[in-house]
Amino acid sequence: RESRWEPSSADSVGAIAFSRDQRIMVSATSGPPWEATSTLWDLTGQARPRRLSVFEGGSPATISPDGATVATNAFGGRAQAALWNVTRPQHPARLAVLSAGLSGALWGEAFSPDGRILATASTSGLVLWNVADPARPRLLRRLATAPLV
């Protein structure tokens, strides 16, 4: 899968999220899924943010409250999220791809305040995931939404 991935510098940023302690930020491009990237930034020197890593992913993107996990759009373009372990921010490691069989594009993600639930939204529905163990996420529930017209 990753052998076809080619980061692009021409895409616009489509998502930005901060860790709760505001030391790490993730930015994500909103380009084609086979070129989309996420970037982790060190903000400890706020006047001089430092890029820590660039990895496969893309918009939408969010950071768990504990700052250990980033959720991005999964490589491949379907309505799937990917979870990344960023405890070593210079070397993010993909933990899981979350697929609930939804169609359309993934357009939103949010962790619950305690970080145990991840909500993902696509043009065809909402999905709640138990991510208490991000390496083994479990589908909790699909929530139907009215079609977007």
Side-chain angles (χ1 to χ4, degrees):
R1 292 184 309 227
E2 294 174 334
S3 63
R4 295 188 329 240
W5 173 65
E6 296 179 17
S8 171
S9 61
D11 299 317
S12 63
V13 173
I16 298 172
F18 291 89
S19 62
R20 185 177 287 170
D21 64 8
Q22 299 180 9
R23 297 173 58 103
I24 300 288
M25 178 180 75
V26 63
S27 61
T29 62
S30 57
W34 56 91
E35 294 179 345
T37 60
S38 293
T39 303
L40 286 177
W41 300 88
D42 178 348
L43 301 179
T44 54
Q46 292 178 356
R48 299 194 91 130
R50 185 171 57 96
R51 184 171 50 189
L52 297 170
S53 58
V54 177
F55 57 101
E56 171 192 314
S59 181
T62 191
I63 301 177
S64 64
D66 66 3
T69 307
V70 167
T72 68
N73 195 4
F75 180 66
R78 293 176 297 219
Q80 300 179 116
L83 295 177
W84 297 84
N85 179 329
V86 294
T87 55
R88 295 179 46 216
Q90 287 145 333
H91 304 284
R94 187 170 59 191
L95 296 168
V97 173
L98 290 66
S99 179
L102 297 176
S103 61
L106 188 68
W107 60 265
E109 299 169 313
F111 282 98
S112 63
D114 66 3
R116 297 176 64 82
I117 297 174
L118 176 71
T120 60
S122 79
T123 52
S124 65
L126 301 168
V127 179
L128 299 178
W129 298 91
N130 178 328
V131 292
D133 178 355
R136 293 175 187 77
R138 290 181 327 179
L139 176 68
L140 291 174
R141 181 150 196 163
R142 289 183 191 98
L143 306 168
T145 60
L148 298 176
V149 182

